């Protein structure tokens, strides 16, 4: 039976009983996952020892690929990393039932004997679009570019001549001082009235 193409989602949960490759201290384990040409690596758990816990998830596209290879290493600071062992897992059950959970035995590289196991969960999501040639696959939507903003000339505030304030005068001119209004005293007004009356009498008698 042909298996559907799609996406396999692998979660590396933990490992137990791995080979202790250190004479002093604890191992610093990490795992490398490979499906076909696709490869991922977990974080290195410094000092986690022979029972590390990762709970890390990785996604692979599968068409004809049907095996997952997990290789475990002990990270070294001053030499090549030591291989602790590897596990091979079939993806067929997950691709048929859309999920699987198992504890895969870890096989030592030289003795080919089991030393510990790694616990993983698998989920499968069918995607027949992966069967189409790359030119026919639906491309990701391109982001709409930002609209180019119009170019504006920076407005310059016009410079106006500075005029002196009203109470300031240019050099060489005297400030104008308004004259005080003339004040007419009452007795002067009375004298003026008498002179006017005498003048009128003279005109009448003439």
């Amino acid at each position: 039976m042909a298996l559907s193409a799609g996406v396999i989602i692998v979660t590396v949960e933990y490992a137990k009983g791995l080979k202790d490759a250190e004479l002093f201290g604890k191992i610093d384990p990490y795992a490398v996952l490979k499906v076909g040409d696709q490869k991922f690596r977990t974080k290195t758990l410094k000092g986690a020892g022979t029972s590390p816990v990762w709970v890390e998830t990785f996604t692979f596209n599968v068409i004809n690929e049907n095996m997952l290879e997990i290789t475990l290493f002990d990270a070294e600071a001053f030499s090549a990393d030591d291989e602790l062992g590897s596990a091979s897992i079939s993806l067929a059950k997950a691709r048929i039932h859309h999920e699987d959970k198992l504890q895969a035995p870890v096989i030592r590289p030289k003795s080919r004997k089991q030393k510990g196991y790694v616990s993983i969960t698998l989920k499968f999501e069918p995607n027949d679009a992966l069967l189409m040639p790359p030119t026919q696959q639906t491309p990701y939507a391109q982001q709409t570019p930002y609209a180019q903003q119009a170019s504006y000339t920076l407005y310059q505030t016009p410079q106006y001549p500075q005029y002196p304030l009203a109470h300031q005068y240019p050099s060489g001119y005297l400030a104008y001082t308004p004259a005080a209004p003339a004040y007419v005293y009452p007795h002067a007004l009375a004298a003026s009235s008498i002179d006017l009356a005498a003048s009128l009498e003279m005109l009448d008698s003439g």
Side-chain angles (χ1 to χ4, degrees):
M1 181 180 66
L3 298 175
S4 300
V7 175
I8 196 80
I9 302 168
V10 182
T11 299
V12 185
E13 296 179 332
Y14 60 88
K16 279 189 177 295
L18 301 179
K19 172 67 176 179
D20 190 351
E22 296 290 341
L23 295 177
F24 304 100
K26 295 182 178 181
I27 62 174
D28 307 322
Y30 67 89
V32 175
L33 292 76
K34 184 178 179 183
V35 174
D37 295 330
Q38 304 164 81
K39 184 185 293 187
F40 295 99
R41 168 180 167 164
T42 67
K43 297 177 182 179
T44 299
L45 300 181
K46 188 172 180 60
T50 59
S51 298
V53 178
W54 289 286
V55 193
E56 294 186 45
T57 300
F58 305 93
T59 301
F60 299 88
N61 293 330
V62 292
I63 299 177
N64 298 317
E65 302 87 353
N66 207 35
M67 293 297 296
L68 166 66
E69 300 290 338
I70 301 180
T71 306
L72 297 104
F73 293 90
D74 173 27
E76 296 290 346
F78 304 105
S79 62
D81 295 347
D82 294 329
E83 182 179 340
L84 301 174
S86 61
S88 298
I89 299 104
S90 172
L91 303 177
K93 183 178 179 180
R95 295 177 71 177
I96 295 172
H97 301 288
H98 293 184
E99 62 181 5
D100 193 9
K101 182 177 178 66
L102 67 156
Q103 294 176 344
V106 175
I107 306 301
R108 292 285 294 156
K110 293 182 179 180
S111 66
R112 306 309 299 169
K113 293 181 180 180
Q114 179 183 351
K115 182 59 178 175
Y117 64 89
V118 58
S119 178
I120 65 170
T121 59
L122 304 173
K123 292 185 179 180
F124 179 70
E125 297 178 356
N127 184 0
D128 291 336
L130 295 174
L131 296 173
M132 294 188 298
T135 55
Q136 297 181 18
Q137 294 182 15
T138 304
Y140 290 102
Q142 296 183 352
Q143 296 183 3
T144 303
Y146 290 103
Q148 185 175 3
Q149 296 182 356
S151 176
Y152 297 97
T153 303
L154 182 65
Y155 176 76
Q156 300 289 340
T157 304
Q159 301 294 322
Y160 298 101
Q162 300 294 324
Y163 294 97
L165 299 176
H167 64 279
Q168 295 178 344
Y169 301 91
S171 176
Y173 292 89
L174 297 176
Y176 170 74
T177 303
Y183 181 76
V184 180
Y185 295 93
H187 64 272
L189 290 175
S192 298
S193 299
I194 295 173
D195 293 341
L196 179 59
S199 299
L200 292 175
E201 288 179 358
M202 292 175 64
L203 290 173
D204 291 339
S205 59

